[in-house]
Amino acid sequence: MSNQTTLQGNSSNRPTLSLSPCLLSCSLSLSFSEAMEEQNTEAKLKNLLKQEKIQLWNPPYTSDNNQPGQQQMQELAERYAPQVSLSVPEVGVALESIRVQAVNRGKGNKTFRETNVASLELLLPRDARKDLKTKNYMETRLDVLVQELVDRIGEEHGLRYIRLILSGKTLCPDKRLDEQGVKNHSKIMVLRVTDNELKQQMHKEEEERKNKEEKKKSQDKSLQRTQKGFQILSERDGSEDPITTPFLEIADQRGNPLKIPDKERKALILAMGFHEKGRSLMKRKQYDNAVCHLLKADGQFRKCDSALLTAVDNYAVLQLDIVWCHRALEALSCLDDAKSRLQTAERCFLQCYGEQQERLMMIKGNTGREQVLFLRLYLLQSLLSYLEGNDTQARDKLSKVESLYSRLCLDSEKMNQLLLLGFTEREARLALRACQGDLQDAIVHITNHRKEKEDLKHRERQKRRTRMDNISTLTAMGYSRRDAARALHRADGDMNKACGLLYLGFERDASEAALRQTGGDVQSATQLLLENRGVLPSELLPVSPPSTSPSTSSPSSEEPTTSSTSTEDDDLVNEVLEDISRHEEDYLDLTLEEEQELIGVIKSYLSRGPAPTV
């Protein structure tokens, strides 16, 4: 099959719609940058400790009373400092942080297993700490109200008005710790506030809570409406008039419909639909909502045949989009998941495009446009390598990124010339990349592409005109328009076969069961019905009750008196169709502005300069 799978809508009142094909805003805060550098440093030191099989929680690095072995820790800091390009004091602080985490985790795990009492690290206000170098912990059960913990902290540390922060979110005093995500070893920030500030903060947090609940409801509603809309479309087989009843079909990159088993076709439509909705939300920078839709798409893709997923690039592009959202959401906790997804994406690209992209070249004639996908892949791999403390690999990947970026950056003068000729910005960008920046070749490329699309539309119009003429012929013979349309669809437009289906007078349920049994082969289905005198065995008939609609066999069948699709269904269908890109290569049309920004951020990390603010 083709390397590119598209999902295109069929309706004469809208352009041909195609989902992200499938061959074959970066805003980093200072605190986030600091967190990434801390993670990079600790990852490097943990790798060194692992290589030397050093366990900081055991002697001689930790004494019996859990205090650090000063001399041994100092020697480690002096030995590791040159290897991680940091000062000895900086390495010493990082090593002590790793040691304390390990010691407390070991103690806390034992206590928690035996008593269900958790150990929480308290990040107290600076002036409330007795020793700035010593961390503060408090043991508590997690099934108690936050207010109880607030009271204990206030009493033990002399703090009157405080609020507790977990992962940037304020804990609600009248809810339990475990209900708000507090776990054994959680770090709790303690902030001192005035009585008035506390009341204002509580009011603000209540408003934020309500807004969050509304956002969650809106998100859930969006997921439900997207799923229902594409489910409706997946159930439509194209037998009705596409003007009044739009449907979707899986097609190759040239718009030719592909024959896919019905169950897999439905899953694929849902997967590609959720993916397209997620990409639409990404364009609006709604990354949290986008990733929910993308993960739904991931679940649907997994229902499809693995051979299909490796033959097209849809699934690989989806993995990139999910990790890109995690990056935008600053979700460092998704590191392991992101690494696995990028490995899947790279493997799928290689299988789909070929080791040297020879398969891509054979099908599309060039590889320029798809290079933006590899740029984003290598860029995300560079970022993850940095977070894992592997600066060498991060630099290697970043070098590939910069090489691709220099080739994919477009000449503004050539872009302007193409725009002056009446081409769109998207057409110009994609064509110049496809033609390695050659202006004349780009003009020819766009012109040919426009002609191909116009030819496809002409074929679709001609196909529909022929279909409508055949339906009129059958209705003139006394059959209903609906039965005539269904017969023609089952016969793949063959008028003689359609007449045979209608003339033989088989019941609809039996006809459809026979067609399912024979894989849609009309001649075999007819023979099967004749052999069984029009009555198939019960195990071949649908489980649902028999249809009460008119039989396809009766010339006197009346037109249905009500529409088969409700107004609500029409609204849902139109809503999800609006999110489908009108251009089959929309997923390749990247300006690379966000990528350029992230390149600069990673370079600043690797240069060991001050934490950047982007």
Side-chain angles (χ1 to χ4, degrees):
M1 64 179 292
S2 163
N3 287 74
Q4 182 176 15
T5 301
T6 59
L7 182 62
Q8 60 186 24
N10 287 269
S11 172
S12 63
N13 63 352
R14 63 176 71 247
T16 298
L17 309 179
S18 53
L19 277 182
S20 92
C22 354
L23 184 64
L24 330 216
S25 42
C26 181
S27 177
L28 295 175
S29 64
L30 179 61
S31 60
F32 183 58
S33 297
E34 290 173 342
M36 293 184 70
E37 289 203 306
E38 279 183 23
Q39 184 164 333
N40 171 264
T41 299
E42 289 195 3
K44 289 177 181 176
L45 292 173
K46 287 176 180 177
N47 287 337
L48 291 171
L49 292 167
K50 187 176 181 180
Q51 288 171 15
E52 298 186 25
K53 298 181 179 179
I54 293 176
Q55 298 177 332
L56 294 183
W57 59 92
N58 287 330
Y61 306 101
T62 297
S63 64
D64 292 339
N65 60 356
N66 293 325
Q67 293 303 305
Q70 298 291 350
Q71 182 180 343
Q72 291 79 7
M73 293 293 288
Q74 179 66 19
E75 290 174 355
L76 273 183
E78 291 173 355
R79 184 146 51 89
Y80 287 164
Q83 298 184 55
V84 297
S85 303
L86 291 174
S87 67
V88 173
E90 286 177 306
V91 174
V93 170
L95 283 171
E96 175 60 10
S97 174
I98 294 171
R99 188 194 72 82
V100 170
Q101 289 174 35
V103 170
N104 289 332
R105 189 168 297 275
K107 285 172 54 184
N109 287 342
K110 185 174 184 296
T111 302
F112 191 65
R113 283 196 304 269
E114 294 174 352
T115 65
N116 283 330
V117 173
S119 176
L120 307 179
E121 181 181 343
L122 302 181
L123 307 178
L124 296 168
R126 188 178 182 85
D127 59 359
R129 304 179 197 172
K130 296 177 182 178
D131 182 354
L132 295 180
K133 294 183 179 180
T134 302
K135 295 189 177 183
N136 296 274
Y137 296 90
M138 181 167 284
E139 294 186 341
T140 178
R141 293 181 63 88
L142 298 178
D143 56 359
V144 301
L145 295 179
V146 170
Q147 186 62 51
E148 182 177 320
L149 183 61
V150 168
D151 294 340
R152 285 182 56 196
I153 294 173
E155 183 179 341
E156 291 187 23
H157 297 279
L159 299 170
R160 187 173 181 185
Y161 297 116
I162 60 174
R163 67 172 181 266
L164 306 183
I165 310 293
L166 173 68
S167 302
K169 299 177 182 177
T170 301
L171 299 179
C172 184
D174 58 356
K175 290 187 177 180
R176 288 171 22 166
L177 290 165
D178 53 5
E179 291 176 340
Q180 301 181 74
V182 180
K183 300 176 181 178
N184 190 26
H185 304 306
S186 286
K187 294 183 179 181
I188 307 291
M189 181 179 289
V190 182
L191 296 183
R192 182 190 284 110
V193 295
T194 65
D195 186 29
N196 186 48
E197 286 176 334
L198 187 60
K199 290 178 180 177
Q200 289 179 348
Q201 182 63 27
M202 289 177 68
H203 176 72
K204 179 182 177 182
E205 287 165 3
E206 179 63 19
E207 290 298 314
E208 289 177 350
R209 184 186 65 78
K210 290 180 180 178
N211 290 337
K212 186 177 179 180
E213 287 180 356
E214 286 299 317
K215 186 177 181 180
K216 180 67 166 57
K217 289 180 182 177
S218 175
Q219 194 176 85
D220 289 344
K221 183 178 180 181
S222 175
L223 287 170
Q224 291 168 4
R225 291 183 67 82
T226 300
Q227 176 143 351
K228 187 171 182 182
F230 280 107
Q231 276 180 336
I232 293 169
L233 285 165
S234 72
E235 295 294 336
R236 294 178 177 176
D237 58 10
S239 63
E240 299 185 54
D241 188 347
I243 287 186
T244 58
T245 313
F247 71 100
L248 295 174
E249 60 186 6
I250 310 297
D252 64 18
Q253 77 276 9
R254 300 189 183 282
N256 302 311
L258 300 174
K259 292 291 186 181
I260 298 176
D262 192 56
K263 184 178 180 180
E264 193 166 355
R265 180 187 66 84
K266 291 178 180 179
L268 197 53
I269 286 177
L270 278 173
M272 297 173 75
F274 271 118
H275 189 184
E276 194 71 6
K277 177 68 175 182
R279 293 181 64 252
S280 175
L281 292 165
M282 286 176 69
K283 291 177 184 178
R284 303 197 288 271
K285 311 297 183 187
Q286 297 178 21
Y287 293 110
D288 51 352
N289 199 5
V291 79
C292 291
H293 287 77
L294 296 177
L295 291 173
K296 281 281 191 180
D298 187 68
Q300 292 296 329
F301 268 123
R302 291 173 187 271
K303 296 179 182 179
C304 299
D305 179 44
S306 59
L308 174 66
L309 297 186
T310 57
V312 298
D313 70 358
N314 299 64
Y315 193 57
V317 174
L318 173 64
Q319 303 312 305
L320 281 186
D321 287 341
I322 291 173
V323 179
W324 195 255
C325 283
H326 285 159
R327 171 210 60 86
L329 294 170
E330 303 179 353
L332 292 183
S333 60
C334 297
L335 176 61
D336 289 339
D337 178 71
K339 185 176 181 180
S340 173
R341 290 187 184 280
L342 292 183
Q343 289 172 344
T344 298
E346 186 166 30
R347 184 171 62 253
C348 287
F349 281 140
L350 289 175
Q351 291 173 330
C352 175
Y353 297 157
E355 291 288 337
Q356 303 298 322
Q357 300 183 28
E358 66 280 358
R359 194 159 176 249
L360 176 64
M361 176 65 77
M362 179 182 68
I363 291 175
K364 301 188 74 173
N366 64 79
T367 63
R369 288 161 293 185
E370 281 72 17
Q371 294 308 308
V372 296
L373 300 176
F374 287 95
L375 186 149
R376 183 170 280 191
L377 172 67
Y378 298 148
L379 183 58
L380 290 170
Q381 287 177 333
S382 176
L383 179 61
L384 291 187
S385 295
Y386 174 80
L387 291 174
E388 292 177 331
N390 192 339
D391 288 10
T392 300
Q393 185 169 301
R395 288 190 178 92
D396 288 343
K397 292 293 184 180
L398 191 62
S399 177
K400 288 185 177 182
V401 171
E402 292 183 300
S403 176
L404 282 172
Y405 184 80
S406 65
R407 300 205 307 267
L408 293 171
C409 268
L410 302 173
D411 185 319
S412 58
E413 180 59 32
K414 292 179 179 178
M415 282 287 292
N416 288 333
Q417 288 185 52
L418 289 174
L419 295 178
L420 289 173
L421 289 173
F423 300 132
T424 67
E425 190 173 320
R426 173 184 285 152
E427 287 177 319
R429 191 158 38 236
L430 291 172
L432 283 172
R433 286 175 181 160
C435 302
Q436 289 76 48
D438 187 289
L439 182 62
Q440 294 304 315
D441 286 352
I443 293 172
V444 173
H445 180 90
I446 298 173
T447 303
N448 289 341
H449 184 261
R450 284 188 170 186
K451 185 176 184 304
E452 287 176 5
K453 293 193 73 172
E454 191 54 46
D455 289 346
L456 177 62
K457 288 181 181 178
H458 176 74
R459 290 198 303 271
E460 287 294 329
R461 287 193 294 267
Q462 184 59 44
K463 182 179 176 182
R464 181 178 179 276
R465 190 178 300 116
T466 300
R467 180 176 180 276
M468 297 307 293
D469 288 344
N470 288 340
I471 289 175
S472 296
T473 299
L474 291 172
T475 54
M477 296 168 60
Y479 296 100
S480 71
R481 292 188 66 83
R482 181 179 180 184
D483 290 345
R486 289 178 67 85
L488 279 168
H489 177 73
R490 296 298 185 192
D492 289 328
D494 188 304
M495 189 66 168
N496 291 328
K497 290 182 179 179
C499 287
L501 280 175
L502 291 166
Y503 175 76
L504 288 170
F506 299 121
E507 291 293 328
R508 175 174 296 162
D509 287 337
S511 299
E512 292 183 348
L515 285 165
R516 280 196 301 272
Q517 187 70 12
T518 59
D521 186 291
V522 176
Q523 186 172 353
S524 297
T526 303
Q527 185 62 35
L528 179 62
L529 288 165
L530 288 171
E531 291 173 354
N532 288 274
R533 298 183 180 181
V535 181
L536 296 185
S538 58
E539 61 267 20
L540 297 182
L541 292 173
V543 176
S544 56
S547 170
T548 57
S549 55
S551 166
T552 57
S553 63
S554 173
S556 61
S557 297
E558 298 295 331
E559 294 287 350
T561 56
T562 59
S563 172
S564 61
T565 305
S566 68
T567 302
E568 181 183 359
D569 286 355
D570 289 339
D571 291 342
L572 281 171
V573 166
N574 290 329
E575 183 180 307
V576 297
L577 287 178
E578 286 301 317
D579 283 311
I580 298 179
S581 173
R582 267 60 173 174
H583 197 286
E584 70 278 5
E585 291 187 330
D586 177 71
Y587 75 123
L588 299 175
D589 182 33
L590 302 180
T591 64
L592 300 183
E593 292 174 0
E594 288 182 284
E595 287 77 3
Q596 181 187 25
E597 192 172 10
L598 187 54
I599 289 170
V601 170
I602 297 176
K603 287 182 73 172
S604 70
Y605 291 160
L606 293 172
S607 68
R608 303 304 309 174
T613 302
V614 178

